[in-house]
Amino acid sequence: MFLRRDLWRRGLRSSPELRRLLLRGFASSPPAPPSIPPFDHQPLPYTGMPGEEILAKRKSFLGPSLFHYYQKPLNIVEGKMQYLYDENGKRYLDCFAGIVTVSCGHCHPDIVNAVVEQTKLLQHTTTIYLHHAIVEFAEALASKMPGNLKVVYFVNSGTEANELAMLMARLYTGNLSMIALRNAYHGGSAGTIGLTALHTWKYPIPQGEIHHVMNPDPYRGVFGSDAGRYAKEVQDHISFGSSGNVAGFIAETFQGVGGSVELAPGYLKEVYNIVRKAGGVCIADEVQSGFGRTGSHYWGFQTQDVIPDIVTMAKGIGNGLPLGAVVTTPEIANVMSQKIQFNTFGGNPVCSAGGLAVLKVLDKENRQAHCADVGSHLIQRLKSLQQKHEIIGDVRGRGLMLGVDLVTDRKEKTPAKVETAVLFEKLKDLGVLVGKGGLHGNVFRIKPPMCFNKADADFLVDALDYAMSGM
Ligand code: PMP
């Protein structure tokens, strides 16, 4: 009932689709809802502040732009591997991993242990003194990179990583203009918000010389999967909009916030050639797609057979720790030595110990292969569901980096905004938490902790099926 009221409040009351959805139910008696797979963990009783009080305090003391998921926001108080628990002890399957951040699983014991042990010994000094953890972590991270990407800078977030990458590109090339894709998200700082193209995230302040080129989106893009035609537009921007030269090109190979869009095959190869000919460097934003999540490769850019000049990462690198990194070549890193480049918390002992533990867990538990295996099972099941439900316009992605694009008309690809909002709430009630994204908010983003297994995948698809069948 609250759903009807809240959609009403959001101004959707006059929508005929909504009225139809709210009035419709299961044609006959409803089937039993699917149950969450068994899991051997007892959450602690919660004695803290109730959700309503937290919400009231958020409104009083935190910024007004803070948004939350769900009509009645969840108060999540505990996490264990791929599951989350709310204040009442209800368990949810986490298919969004704190926005693609909890790579190994919530409170993974190896990572908790590494962080706790380091915290007990030494929490902080900065890089003015030597410490083994930062070099061990840097060496391990560099060993995961192809080509000559060997020099690591540690920062605290994805935004900071992209800020630094943009600075490097401009200093190294002596050029100013940057190229980013429409539908991209690269951060929320004064600089990176310029790279970010999604209008909901942008403030109207001057951004410097940044060109947003067409998104090579195989499903919604005007040229479909024709990478060459999208690449030509990049060349046009450089030739006519940027006096023939450019500092850098940045792209996520799998757009996260933009709705799990995998760039048209072959696009990065063509564009990297164009950008390098114009004197620019190529930056891969791996904040969401790195660390084996795509299953077929460790890094998203490898799916396009390219080697960037600069790679930025965050989120999954720390399994929840505030940690980001930029990896580049010694040649590019050299320009940074013109001045002092310093970051108080970058590579601090605690985050370095935690980050190293993440890399070890991913290797030890063979997570890349696991993502490939579970991901292909999940994609196959989602594609079968697409045969059954007209509302599923597109199922895309790789490994555990997937998107389900919901439409009201398959031919026109009309975003099913209202239906997505309704299904989103229904999934939560069934115990499934997914992400929502895309320009129109009509894409379910499925990017769970990488310990997510086939039983979880089946539960997710059964829950989607159940929710869609009742529409
Ligand atoms: N790049 C990408 C691809 C992202 O998804 C994000 C965060 N959603 C960022 C950069 C910015 O990261 P952070 O929020 O850690 O600053």
Side-chain angles (χ1 to χ4, degrees), residues 310-324:
I310 305 173
V311 180
T312 61
M313 54 197 88
K315 291 186 186 280
I317 190 175
N319 201 52
L321 291 164
L323 179 59

Side-chain angles (χ1 to χ4, degrees), residues 38-56:
F39 186 61
D40 189 15
H41 176 74
Q42 188 58 43
L44 290 174
Y46 178 69
T47 53
M49 201 185 280
E52 295 89 53
E53 202 180 329
I54 297 174
L55 186 61

Side-chain angles (χ1 to χ4, degrees), residues 34-103:
S35 355
I36 194 163
F39 186 61
D40 189 15
H41 176 74
Q42 188 58 43
L44 290 174
Y46 178 69
T47 53
M49 201 185 280
E52 295 89 53
E53 202 180 329
I54 297 174
L55 186 61
K57 284 191 191 290
R58 266 171 64 132
K59 283 182 185 153
S60 301
F61 300 114
L62 298 175
S65 59
L66 211 63
F67 68 95
H68 56 75
Y69 269 1
Y70 307 113
Q71 308 296 316
K72 185 174 183 297
L74 285 176
N75 181 18
I76 296 294
V77 298
E78 197 172 319
K80 189 73 190 161
M81 301 312 279
Q82 67 273 43
Y83 299 107
L84 291 171
Y85 299 84
D86 72 9
E87 61 188 317
N88 303 313
K90 176 171 171 174
R91 180 159 58 97
Y92 298 85
L93 175 62
D94 181 8
C95 300
F96 202 30
I99 319 188
V100 211
T101 300
V102 182
S103 43

Side-chain angles (χ1 to χ4, degrees), residues 44-361:
L44 290 174
Y46 178 69
T47 53
M49 201 185 280
E52 295 89 53
E53 202 180 329
I54 297 174
L55 186 61
K57 284 191 191 290
R58 266 171 64 132
K59 283 182 185 153
S60 301
F61 300 114
L62 298 175
S65 59
L66 211 63
F67 68 95
H68 56 75
Y69 269 1
Y70 307 113
Q71 308 296 316
K72 185 174 183 297
L74 285 176
N75 181 18
I76 296 294
V77 298
E78 197 172 319
K80 189 73 190 161
M81 301 312 279
Q82 67 273 43
Y83 299 107
L84 291 171
Y85 299 84
D86 72 9
E87 61 188 317
N88 303 313
K90 176 171 171 174
R91 180 159 58 97
Y92 298 85
L93 175 62
D94 181 8
C95 300
F96 202 30
I99 319 188
V100 211
T101 300
V102 182
S103 43
C104 304
H106 292 280
C107 302
H108 190 294
D110 290 14
I111 298 154
V112 171
N113 191 45
V115 167
V116 168
E117 290 307 313
Q118 184 56 55
T119 307
K120 286 199 287 197
L121 208 57
L122 177 71
Q123 220 175 345
H124 184 68
T125 54
T126 82
T127 43
I128 51 177
Y129 305 115
L130 301 182
H131 196 272
H132 65 94
I134 187 171
V135 291
E136 280 166 0
F137 184 28
E139 188 176 15
L141 195 55
S143 78
K144 298 288 181 193
M145 307 302 303
N148 203 23
L149 291 163
K150 291 290 168 240
V151 185
V152 182
Y153 292 77
F154 289 115
V155 292
N156 308 287
S157 68
T159 297
E160 257 192 88
N162 285 332
E163 278 286 352
L164 184 56
M166 185 157 52
L167 181 67
M168 282 177 176
R170 286 176 165 162
L171 283 174
Y172 180 70
T173 62
N175 299 329
L176 204 57
S177 77
M178 293 290 301
I179 300 178
L181 296 180
R182 290 183 200 151
N183 206 47
Y185 184 89
H186 295 296
S189 63
T192 57
I193 213 161
L195 300 173
T196 294
L198 285 157
H199 64 86
T200 30
W201 302 87
K202 283 180 93 75
Y203 292 97
I205 52 166
Q207 305 293 354
E209 214 189 316
I210 293 174
H211 300 259
H212 285 112
V213 294
M214 278 170 130
N215 193 28
D217 175 350
Y219 182 63
R220 292 191 179 275
V222 279
F223 301 138
S225 295
D226 190 342
R229 293 179 78 187
Y230 295 111
K232 178 159 183 315
E233 205 234 350
V234 176
Q235 181 65 66
D236 290 346
H237 268 274
I238 294 174
S239 308
F240 308 119
S242 182
S243 352
N245 50 47
V246 65
F249 166 84
I250 184 166
E252 310 154 80
T253 312
F254 294 77
Q255 291 178 329
V257 180
S260 299
V261 176
E262 179 172 355
L263 308 185
Y267 175 78
L268 286 185
K269 201 157 220 176
E270 294 207 31
V271 171
Y272 276 24
N273 282 336
I274 292 170
V275 169
R276 283 173 176 151
K277 271 193 201 132
V281 297
C282 301
I283 306 167
D285 181 332
E286 292 286 340
V287 168
Q288 295 207 12
S289 53
F291 301 96
R293 175 167 287 283
T294 59
S296 59
H297 299 80
Y298 202 80
W299 303 108
F301 61 78
Q302 291 172 317
T303 64
Q304 296 245 345
D305 193 22
V306 291
I307 300 184
D309 304 299
I310 305 173
V311 180
T312 61
M313 54 197 88
K315 291 186 186 280
I317 190 175
N319 201 52
L321 291 164
L323 179 59
V326 178
V327 189
T328 189
T329 62
E331 206 189 351
I332 294 178
N334 219 16
V335 293
M336 300 304 293
S337 59
Q338 294 164 12
K339 303 270 177 190
I340 292 174
Q341 213 289 317
F342 180 74
N343 190 310
T344 299
F345 290 110
N348 70 77
V350 174
C351 285
S352 294
L356 182 63
V358 168
L359 294 178
K360 286 184 179 166
V361 166

